[in-house]
Amino acid sequence: MGAYIFRRLLLIIPTLLGIMAINFALIQLVPGGPIEQIISNLESGSETFDLLGGSSADAGISNADDTDIGSYQGRRGLPDDFIKELEIQFGFDKPPLTRFWIMLKKYAVFDFGDSYFRSISVRDLIFEKMPVSISLGLWSTLIAYLIAIPLGIKKAVRDGSRFDTWSTAILVAAYAIPTFLFAVVLVILFAGGSFLQIFPLRGLTSDNFSELSVIGKIGDYFWHLALPILAMGIGSFTTLALLTKNSFMDEIRKQYVITARAKGLPEKRILYGHVFRNAMLIIIAGFPAIFISVFFGSSLLIETIFSLDGLGRLGFEAVLTRDYPVIFATLYFFTLLGLLVKILSDITYVWIDPRIDFGNRQS
């Protein structure tokens, strides 16, 4: 198993390199880079530009001048030395391959540089937004497991009953509802949209969070997370419940269960002493992958609807503003995390069922 894990770790390098290279090449073809974003803001009269330590007036830019300069189309009234200063600041004075190689060397030691448009390093920015996304992904996944697994077992035991039929209908209907639509309904009903205002609609904690007791802080934290967690968990909850039922149904029909019943073993002992371990193999071992899918899948919509500032919104805003350091850092981080989670899933399989040996299978 150790050799298998080592090989998988080595495969991370070319996989990560390939993904980064493809995305770096594609981003070169996308129009409207960071320099164009700044030029557009300056020509529209914005005085918020502070990348080089000043506003458009400090840079000597006149919107009235119609002189067309530089290699960019539509630059009117922008001094050529100012454009070159921007290119040096962003590193665009170097060839693409050189920039890509420099980026890889820095990313190898997790040096993601600074954001183009924020006065903060990208690494600090990711750590600042991470608690929101981890909170959403972790708790929604845990709650989905705690509810879906017992429900799936009960559906398997009572297969074909009215409970099984009605619960399946409810689960399928819930799965058909888009996550964002369910989130909007929750806001309307319980967050002051049109009816009740039971839950807050903004932030991860209240303004007076530091003044609360330990119990009060925990309660305030989950009070803010209740609706986002419910909205994010609805899709994975439905899938997990039906997967649990089907897995148990497959095991119940196997010969060892028939033999155990013939020996007169109690039904609960058969179900939880023999069937449970085999049926839950795929469910429990898939926890890391399900967590990652929940963590990345719906975070942008949920964070936007509930005004939570997490990694989903960070990546979306970085794409809009062409903040390349943030774009590539989040891509690198998410890809690396996803690849490590795949290895963790394999280790979990072996831990649950020692009969599985990926090392011998690879050899």
Side-chain angles (χ1 to χ4, degrees), residues 4 21 66 75 94 108 138 147-148 165-166 168 180 189 199-200 213 247 252 270-271 282 285 295 304 352 357 360:
Y4 169 77
D66 290 335
R75 291 178 178 167
K94 303 179 180 66
L138 177 63
I147 297 176
T165 302
W166 282 105
T168 300
F180 76 92
L189 294 178
F199 298 97
S213 63
S247 182
I252 289 174
I270 296 174
L271 185 62
I282 189 172
F295 183 59
T304 302
I352 295 175
D357 191 345
N360 290 337

Side-chain angles (χ1 to χ4, degrees), residues 89-161:
Q89 175 98 7
F90 288 129
F92 293 151
D93 56 323
K94 303 179 180 66
L97 287 179
T98 303
R99 288 189 279 119
F100 181 66
W101 175 244
I102 293 174
M103 182 185 72
L104 289 182
K105 290 194 295 184
K106 291 183 177 180
Y107 280 21
V109 293
F110 294 95
D111 179 10
F112 301 129
D114 296 330
S115 169
Y116 284 165
F117 305 106
R118 307 183 190 213
S119 300
I120 186 174
S121 69
V122 176
R123 185 166 52 189
D124 292 340
L125 193 59
I126 291 176
F127 288 148
E128 178 185 319
K129 311 297 183 182
M130 193 178 296
V132 172
S133 297
I134 290 181
S135 296
L136 292 175
L138 177 63
W139 293 116
S140 59
T141 305
L142 286 176
I143 292 176
Y145 265 80
L146 292 175
I147 297 176
I149 290 177
L151 177 60
I153 295 175
K154 188 172 183 179
K155 286 173 62 62
V157 173
R158 301 179 61 181
D159 181 48
S161 65

Side-chain angles (χ1 to χ4, degrees), residues 308-350:
L308 297 172
D309 195 8
L311 291 175
R313 291 183 64 182
L314 174 65
F316 178 69
E317 292 171 357
V319 171
L320 292 181
T321 59
R322 304 297 193 271
D323 198 343
Y324 291 163
V326 177
I327 294 175
F328 287 114
T330 52
L331 174 66
Y332 179 86
F333 175 77
F334 290 164
T335 304
L336 179 61
L337 185 60
L339 293 173
L340 292 175
V341 163
K342 290 293 185 182
I343 300 177
L344 181 59
S345 296
D346 291 345
I347 296 175
T348 309
Y349 273 111
V350 177

